[in-house]
Structures are given as C-alpha cells and as structure tokens.
Amino acid sequence: MITLALAGKPNCGKSTFFAAATMAHAEIAAYPFTTIQANQGVAYVRTTCPCRELGMECGNCLDGNRFIPAGMIDVAGLVPDAHKGKGLGNQFLDDLRQADAIIHIVDASGGTDSEGNPVDKGSHDPREDIVFLRHEMAMWVYGILEKHWPKIQRQAGQRDFSVTDAIAEVFAGLGITAADVRSAEVRLDRDLRKCDDGDMITFSSHLVEISKPMLIVANKADEAPPECLEVMKECGAGFASAVSELALRKAAEGGYVSYLPGDPEFTVKNEEALTPAQKAGLSTLSEMMKEFGGTGVQQAINDAAFSLLDMITVYPVEDEHKLTDSQGRILPDAYLMKRGSTSHDLAYRVHSDISEGFLYAIDARKGMRIKESHVLEDGDIIKIVSTAR
Ligand SMILES: Nc1nc2c(ncn2[C@@H]2O[C@H](COP(=O)(O)OP(=O)(O)O)[C@@H](O)[C@H]2O)c(=O)[nH]1
Ligand SMILES: [Mg+2]
C-alpha cells in the first residue's frame, strides 16, 4: 500500500483534510498543535473500475468507481526551524519517514502566519510556506548527513569505499534508496568528497525532492482572496477545500446528498428535510465546487498516486474468462503499482510463493500469454500461472 503524508504548518487544514479523506475522527480546532500524535488512517485513490466497460457488475465498486486504499498520515504542524527541535519538530519530521509522497497542505487564504496563528486574510503570502517546508525537510536530511559526514570522509580514502553506498546506508531507515542517492548526486554534479557545507545542503534538498515527492495543495480555496489563488496557481498548486469535502461526506453519510468523493458536483436527495441553514450551506458548497471543479480533496489524493508517484492500477484474477478469484468474486482486488512494473512484480505482490513458482501470465483482456518481463499497463487484468497454489 502506498502511504501519503499530509504536511504543513499548524492550522493549514491537515486534520480537516485527513478527516475528510479517511472519514475518521481527528481533532479539528483553530489553534496550533491540535494533533499531538500523528494520526494514521486509510484514504482511497479513485479510479474507473473496468467492470462496466466489460459489461459486468463486480460488486466492488461504486457506480463504476473503484476506491483503492492508501495509507494516510496526518503529520502534526511543522513550524519554521522545526529541524532544530523547535515546536515538536523532530518527532513530526520522523513521521514523514514512512511516506512515499507528501501532500503539502498550504493555507491559501493567507489568513495564518508562518507559525499558524490567525492573521487577516490575505496578509500572509502562502508561497513562503512552500519555501519553508522544502527548506525544513532539506535541513532535516542535512542534519542527519552532517552527523555521519566526518566518519564517511575518513573512510572515503579507502579503496573500494563508495560514498554513495555509505550515504544510502545512513538513510536506509527513511525510505531513501541508493538509487535516490545516486540521482541526487547526478543533480548536484559535484564530487561528494569535495563538497562544502553549502553543497551538502543543496545535495540534501535534491535528496528530499527525489525520495519524498511533494504535491502542493492550496487549501481553504473557498475563502482565499483572488490574489492568493493567483500566486498559488503560479506555483502549480491544486486547489482544495477540505472543510467542504468533510461537510459533503457527512451529508452523504447522513443521506442528505448523493456524492462520491471526487465528483465535481453533488445532488440534494431530500430537499424538504433540510433546514434553511442547511440549504444555504449546500448552495454555497455547490457554488464553490462549480468554481473549482470539485472540492479538490480526492483530486489531490489521485494526483499524488497517479501523477507524483506514477502508479497504475492492475487487477489480478484467477479465472481469466470469468475475471474472478477462486471464490467467484469478480475483479476482487485492485493493486496500485509503479508504472513499469512487470507481470513478475505483480506475482510478487500477490504472494512471494506465486512469484517463485511463476510460469507465465495471461492478459485476460487480450486472452494472451505474457512473459514475466512483460510491462503492465493501467487497467490490466492479469492471471498468474504458477507452480505454487
Ligand atoms: N475555510 C476553510 N477553513 C478550513 C479548511 N480546512 C480547514 N479549515 C479550518 O482551519 C482550521 C484549522 O484546521 P485543522 O484541520 O485543525 O488544521 P491543522 O492544524 O493543519 O491540522 C479549522 O478551523 C478548520 O475548520 C478549508 O478548506 N476552508
Ligand atoms: Mg491538526
């Protein structure tokens, strides 16, 4: 399962986003450090289920929309200089370890200062928050590297000693791979052995960018002044209103509206049952969604999975004709896999025994045998034939 971490300064809306995305309870309040311990939950990536197109009803999707679980972590608010231990910095940064990608929630309304304290709307430039988070993360990595650097330098003179491998070892527990280190080295374009502190900081920021890709989400879009929306757009941010998504999911749960996370609009089910205040609330929501094409919460999760992490969806089956598992369930599983994954990678995901006994696979859509090196495509339905059962 992929894991997405919600990061950002206090009061930008992380816990609201988390509550909406997971529909789990999280404390939501307008003062810093509401979330003391990282909240972990399950959010869902939305994709089109193949069943409709194949003229079937799989029973595992909602109106042809498949929701695939992804881990989500609500990382408590990061303040400037968190890497020096300010706020609850190091603990929060540690939470980012498990993350495959980071969704950086930014308060696009400009109504909170760099530490998350309320200020007049539009008076804080939200672009500063983007710079600050990148800097914090780079300095966090740099801090770790700095500690290990003297020893690495001492060993660097030895024959057969790889500085790259040594750095990779230092960061192994943080989900940073040797390939990430090599890519960061290439970007830096300098001999690591001859680097000064400035180079090391630059190297650290490359390493963060490569190993923890980040999506910028301009939250509180519903109350953001136009000039704030403009600057966030220039930064390539997607817009969101976590508070709207939360309200909608609750309204849907209560049976007031028809809405699936990620829909561009919703429909009111029972107009008469609503109070005038509820009606007015839903009407404001509807206007906001028209302006932004939805609440942006599901879009952010999907962008993180499909654009940032470059995932595809693959459906393993045991019966390539009926597209079922051994119990007759149609398209029982949907896996998110990195683009470029092979049928052998899928076999491994299903079970290591299946992968060890791999004979061949069948592309169920084409009814064709495929080799273990065959690169899978988005929406593939695959049967693995293995000596293992
Ligand atoms: N207008 C608006 N307010 C929001 C939105 N998301 C969160 N908030 C409010 O911002 C405040 C802080 O939210 P919270 O989720 O606790 O932020 P956190 O500290 O980052 O976890 C609360 O008063 C929320 O209701 C949003 O999309 N729009
Ligand atoms: Mg919070």
Side-chain angles (χ1 to χ4, degrees), residues 28-349:
I28 302 159
Y31 51 86
F33 302 121
T34 312
T35 315
I36 298 296
Q37 271 190 327
N39 268 317
Q40 303 208 9
V42 175
Y44 296 86
V45 175
R46 174 177 171 163
T47 188
T48 305
C49 188
C51 71
R52 292 278 169 102
E53 163 206 336
L54 297 166
M56 310 169 114
E57 289 258 352
C58 75
N60 298 311
C61 64
L62 293 168
D63 291 338
N65 297 291
R66 190 85 179 212
F67 289 89
I68 307 166
M72 183 160 275
I73 309 175
D74 176 9
V75 181
L78 277 176
V79 293
D81 288 336
H83 69 275
K84 294 177 188 159
K86 197 174 162 197
L88 297 173
N90 286 326
Q91 186 199 325
F92 302 157
L93 287 164
D94 281 349
D95 291 334
L96 298 178
R97 286 169 189 232
Q98 307 163 56
D100 295 302
I102 293 166
I103 298 182
H104 181 189
I105 308 287
V106 176
D107 177 351
S109 75
T112 43
D113 68 14
S114 62
E115 307 209 339
N117 303 302
V119 292
D120 289 341
K121 241 168 252 163
S123 66
H124 176 80
D125 186 342
R127 284 176 298 189
E128 282 178 24
D129 301 345
I130 302 175
V131 176
F132 127 75
L133 190 71
R134 292 220 167 99
H135 176 72
E136 275 311 315
M137 294 192 48
M139 293 309 286
W140 166 58
V141 162
Y142 172 67
I144 297 166
L145 197 53
E146 206 185 11
K147 258 186 237 148
H148 290 83
W149 199 239
K151 185 166 171 225
I152 292 174
Q153 286 238 298
R154 272 199 306 279
Q155 292 173 310
Q158 296 167 17
R159 223 196 298 167
D160 295 339
F161 182 83
S162 157
V163 174
T164 313
D165 290 348
I167 295 174
E169 210 166 289
V170 167
F171 291 108
L174 306 184
I176 294 176
T177 64
D180 293 339
V181 175
R182 264 189 296 278
S183 306
E185 227 179 319
V186 169
R187 270 198 214 174
L188 182 70
D189 198 21
R190 293 206 62 169
D191 185 346
L192 280 175
R193 274 175 263 226
K194 295 181 186 130
C195 280
D196 58 22
D197 290 351
D199 296 329
M200 291 309 273
I201 292 174
T202 310
F203 171 76
S204 300
S205 66
H206 290 325
L207 198 52
V208 167
E209 265 171 48
I210 291 163
S211 61
K212 304 286 172 185
M214 195 187 287
L215 186 81
I216 314 281
V217 172
N219 191 39
K220 306 194 189 179
D222 55 285
E223 59 172 27
E227 60 278 13
C228 286
L229 291 176
E230 195 52 45
V231 296
M232 291 309 286
K233 198 171 160 192
E234 281 164 16
C235 295
F239 295 118
S241 173
V243 99
S244 306
E245 177 72 12
L246 187 58
L248 268 181
R249 289 203 189 188
K250 284 184 176 160
E253 198 183 52
Y256 299 108
V257 300
S258 295
Y259 172 72
L260 278 184
D263 283 351
E265 56 188 15
F266 62 90
T267 49
V268 177
K269 270 181 167 169
N270 188 359
E271 190 102 41
E272 296 86 67
L274 297 174
T275 65
Q278 285 172 323
K279 269 188 207 167
L282 287 176
S283 151
T284 311
L285 252 171
S286 171
E287 287 305 309
M288 195 278 306
M289 288 172 79
K290 270 195 199 117
E291 187 181 345
F292 296 103
T295 72
V297 169
Q298 187 65 56
Q299 286 84 345
I301 297 168
N302 274 28
D303 281 353
F306 296 126
S307 303
L308 209 55
L309 292 172
D310 206 13
M311 296 285 175
I312 58 168
T313 315
V314 184
Y315 301 82
V317 293
E318 285 188 43
D319 184 319
E320 76 272 28
H321 303 292
K322 295 187 184 141
L323 310 183
T324 60
D325 64 7
S326 57
Q327 279 129 53
R329 289 178 300 188
I330 301 170
L331 300 170
D333 298 308
Y335 289 169
L336 290 176
M337 300 191 72
K338 198 100 189 148
R339 190 180 298 282
S341 295
T342 62
S343 51
H344 193 265
D345 295 330
L346 175 65
Y348 191 80
R349 259 297 281 281

